[in-house]
Amino acid sequence: MRVAVVEDDLSIVNLLKRVLIKEGFSVREFSTAEKFLSAVFDYGEEFDVVILDVMLPGLNGVDACKFLRNRGSDVPVLMLTALSEEDDKVKGLDSGADDYLTKPFSIRELLARLRALLRRRGKVALNLETSGIVITDVGVLVDGKEVKLTGRERELLRVLLENRGKVVSKEELLQKVWKGEAVSKRVVDVHVKHLRDKIGDRIETVWGVGYRLVEGAPE
Amino acid sequence: MRVAVVEDDLSIVNLLKRVLIKEGFSVREFSTAEKFLSAVFDYGEEFDVVILDVMLPGLNGVDACKFLRNRGSDVPVLMLTALSEEDDKVKGLDSGADDYLTKPFSIRELLARLRALLRRRGKVALNLETSGIVITDVGVLVDGKEVKLTGRERELLRVLLENRGKVVSKEELLQKVWKGEAVSKRVVDVHVKHLRDKIGDRIETVWGVGYRLVEGAPE
DNA sequence: TAACATCTTAACAGTTCCTTAAGGTTTTTG
DNA sequence: CAAAAACCTTAAGGAACTGTTAAGATGTTA
């Protein structure tokens, strides 16, 4: 699950990062709405949910959300603000946000609302920590140790991680990692091999179907 | 964190510089309010916080602060003065200053107030010393030794330093250092090379993405 | 103007990454 | 069991990216 945190207050960013990463999200942070929108529309980055501060330098969260919706994005947006006035709540939701949280907020409530948002969209927020693997924008941690992965390897791992415990077919991997490029099916094998070399034997082969990332410790 | 020190008393300037640099601030000093305002509005320099003396030759601190606010700047201002009368305190805060300190002041109190100001703005004062690199307006210190950098090199280093430990994409570097000028992507590589030659191998290449300034000692 | 510093581009060299291909191994099927 | 199918492993070639150097452009200073 990829979550974008659009927030300029470093102390909040760091708090969110710590909590969300522990919960198994891939966290990508942006200090301004402009940077976030550029990542989405200029570079085509995709997120499963967005935590968006209202008070931002430059473009504010409400307008950023409107922009998102105008451009057709339906990614769930959780709005954050220091203002608790009803007026702002209305503005926020009017702009297309899905939920709203006023600062200061409790971590428990934030997580609860995030999960609610994802559930509503048919997504399930899982704690990836059980696999011992954490992906952030800074790097990839396996059992607490940083591992250097290439672009393809990282994407491959991300897809497997999102479906850990479940078999992912080669077709699905090709579609999600290689985005329909015309490549041989065998590239998957090769990259799985490389991944195995780097992260250890956590990828199981399901004969005739695809691959599955084994779960680590039980919940 | 960039701090502007606007003060004509050299002994105070030197004291502040020594302390602030040790705390990890990039310090820029101005002996008059005019010079400071010119840097801000004519040259577009940006600061995270301003330490502004009230008694200055020419334009005084109170008026300089008013000027700042009138022009729409909301940078945190910590006012310094030798006068302890309530009257001056009121004038200072009326002018738009965020806090106020009378000379003589204790270093500890100054730092506490600075941190409070930055925290209020959602910024966190970090000690850049952990990277072994300190940037001031006089020069750049690497492991205590002064290094001569050119303009581009210094800006490049500053952006990397602000994001140390994190990958900064080439696009972001081009945007922040070259402000959207139409230059080839490769200029970044060349300047990184020059920086490496001058400050040693502290810049890591992240293939296909950008560069990262490695962190020195842990926090 | 001459000497100097800085910045950008271009060219070539070096590196990393991705894909394909080929031969070997394991699993399934007849 | 033997053949077929799927997968593993390795290595080579090429594509994409970065490193390095030098020359020209531009601006600055003596």
Side-chain angles (χ1 to χ4, degrees):
Chain A
M1 287 291 153
R2 283 160 295 181
V3 52
V5 173
V6 190
E7 166 68 79
D8 63 323
D9 185 331
L10 267 184
S11 62
I12 292 187
V13 168
N14 289 330
L15 170 69
L16 288 179
K17 256 173 76 174
R18 210 172 49 240
V19 172
L20 292 173
I21 287 176
K22 200 170 165 194
E23 284 297 309
F25 289 93
S26 302
V27 180
R28 186 104 160 66
E29 57 176 286
F30 302 91
S31 58
T32 69
E34 286 86 349
K35 286 184 194 165
F36 164 65
L37 292 172
S38 165
V40 171
F41 294 111
D42 297 340
Y43 296 97
E45 284 191 48
E46 290 175 5
F47 300 99
D48 297 299
V49 62
V50 180
I51 299 177
L52 181 58
D53 191 22
V54 168
M55 300 289 260
L56 288 167
L59 192 66
N60 69 55
V62 171
D63 290 335
C65 190
K66 281 185 194 165
F67 190 89
L68 260 181
R69 299 303 183 221
N70 282 339
R71 295 282 287 266
S73 168
D74 64 343
V75 59
V77 171
L78 176 62
M79 206 80 111
L80 275 190
T81 179
L83 308 167
S84 57
E85 286 91 10
E86 271 302 303
D87 185 46
D88 280 81
K89 179 165 182 176
V90 173
K91 264 194 215 159
L93 293 176
D94 258 4
S95 71
D98 299 88
D99 203 351
Y100 191 87
L101 205 56
T102 59
K103 294 192 271 193
F105 50 83
S106 82
I107 294 301
R108 179 171 306 180
E109 185 174 5
L110 174 82
L111 290 176
R113 288 182 184 243
L114 265 190
R115 279 194 244 274
L117 274 185
L118 290 169
R119 204 166 32 241
R120 224 180 292 165
R121 298 300 171 99
K123 302 180 172 184
V124 182
L126 293 166
N127 187 341
L128 305 188
E129 274 247 315
T130 58
S131 66
I133 297 173
V134 171
I135 300 181
T136 72
D137 57 332
V138 175
V140 177
L141 295 173
V142 178
D143 292 335
K145 270 197 297 189
E146 180 148 2
V147 174
K148 276 184 79 170
L149 297 183
T150 69
R152 292 286 202 219
E153 286 161 8
R154 187 166 39 248
E155 278 305 288
L156 181 57
L157 179 58
R158 197 178 55 70
V159 175
L160 289 172
L161 203 52
E162 284 173 356
N163 296 282
R164 77 193 185 294
K166 286 192 301 188
V167 185
V168 186
S169 71
K170 284 195 177 180
E171 286 71 23
E172 193 173 342
L173 290 173
L174 281 171
Q175 202 235 307
K176 290 197 173 170
V177 178
W178 279 265
K179 317 270 183 195
E181 288 171 46
V183 293
S184 151
K185 255 192 183 182
R186 315 311 311 281
V187 292
V188 182
D189 305 317
V190 175
H191 280 89
V192 166
K193 152 80 168 149
H194 291 153
L195 252 186
R196 282 176 171 151
D197 290 345
K198 289 185 180 179
I199 71 171
D201 267 343
R202 297 161 190 269
I203 301 173
E204 198 179 288
T205 301
V206 180
W207 214 89
V209 187
Y211 298 92
R212 165 167 55 195
L213 189 73
V214 300
E215 298 201 69
E219 307 222 5
Chain B
M1 288 293 152
R2 285 161 293 182
V3 53
V5 174
V6 190
E7 166 68 78
D8 62 324
D9 185 333
L10 265 186
S11 64
I12 293 188
V13 168
N14 289 332
L15 170 69
L16 287 179
K17 258 172 74 175
R18 208 171 54 241
V19 172
L20 292 173
I21 287 175
K22 200 171 166 196
E23 284 297 309
F25 289 94
S26 302
V27 181
R28 186 103 160 68
E29 57 175 287
F30 302 91
S31 57
T32 69
E34 286 86 349
K35 286 182 192 167
F36 164 65
L37 291 172
S38 165
V40 171
F41 294 110
D42 297 339
Y43 296 97
E45 284 191 49
E46 290 175 3
F47 300 99
D48 297 299
V49 62
V50 179
I51 299 177
L52 181 58
D53 191 21
V54 168
M55 300 290 260
L56 289 166
L59 192 65
N60 69 54
V62 171
D63 291 334
C65 191
K66 280 185 193 164
F67 190 89
L68 260 182
R69 299 302 183 220
N70 281 340
R71 294 283 288 267
S73 168
D74 64 344
V75 59
V77 171
L78 176 62
M79 207 78 111
L80 275 189
T81 179
L83 308 167
S84 58
E85 285 91 11
E86 270 302 303
D87 186 46
D88 280 80
K89 180 165 181 175
V90 172
K91 263 195 215 161
L93 293 175
D94 257 4
S95 71
D98 300 87
D99 203 350
Y100 191 88
L101 205 56
T102 59
K103 294 192 269 191
F105 51 83
S106 83
I107 294 300
R108 180 171 305 180
E109 185 173 6
L110 173 82
L111 289 177
R113 289 185 183 244
L114 265 189
R115 279 195 244 273
L117 274 186
L118 289 169
R119 202 166 35 239
R120 224 180 292 166
R121 298 299 172 99
K123 300 181 173 184
V124 179
L126 294 167
N127 189 340
L128 303 188
E129 279 243 314
T130 57
S131 65
I133 297 173
V134 171
I135 301 181
T136 73
D137 59 326
V138 177
V140 177
L141 296 173
V142 178
D143 292 335
K145 271 196 295 190
E146 180 146 1
V147 173
K148 266 189 76 176
L149 297 184
T150 69
R152 293 287 202 216
E153 286 161 8
R154 186 165 41 247
E155 277 305 288
L156 182 57
L157 180 58
R158 196 178 56 70
V159 175
L160 288 172
L161 201 53
E162 283 174 357
N163 295 282
R164 73 191 185 291
K166 285 196 301 187
V167 185
V168 186
S169 71
K170 284 194 177 181
E171 285 73 21
E172 195 171 341
L173 290 172
L174 281 172
Q175 203 232 305
K176 290 198 173 169
V177 178
W178 279 265
K179 317 273 183 194
E181 289 170 47
V183 293
S184 151
K185 255 192 186 183
R186 307 304 309 281
V187 293
V188 181
D189 304 61
V190 175
H191 281 87
V192 165
K193 150 83 168 148
H194 292 153
L195 252 186
R196 281 176 172 153
D197 289 345
K198 290 184 179 178
I199 71 170
D201 267 344
R202 296 161 190 270
I203 302 173
E204 196 179 290
T205 301
V206 180
W207 212 89
V209 185
Y211 298 93
R212 163 166 53 194
L213 189 73
V214 299
E215 297 200 71
E219 309 216 7

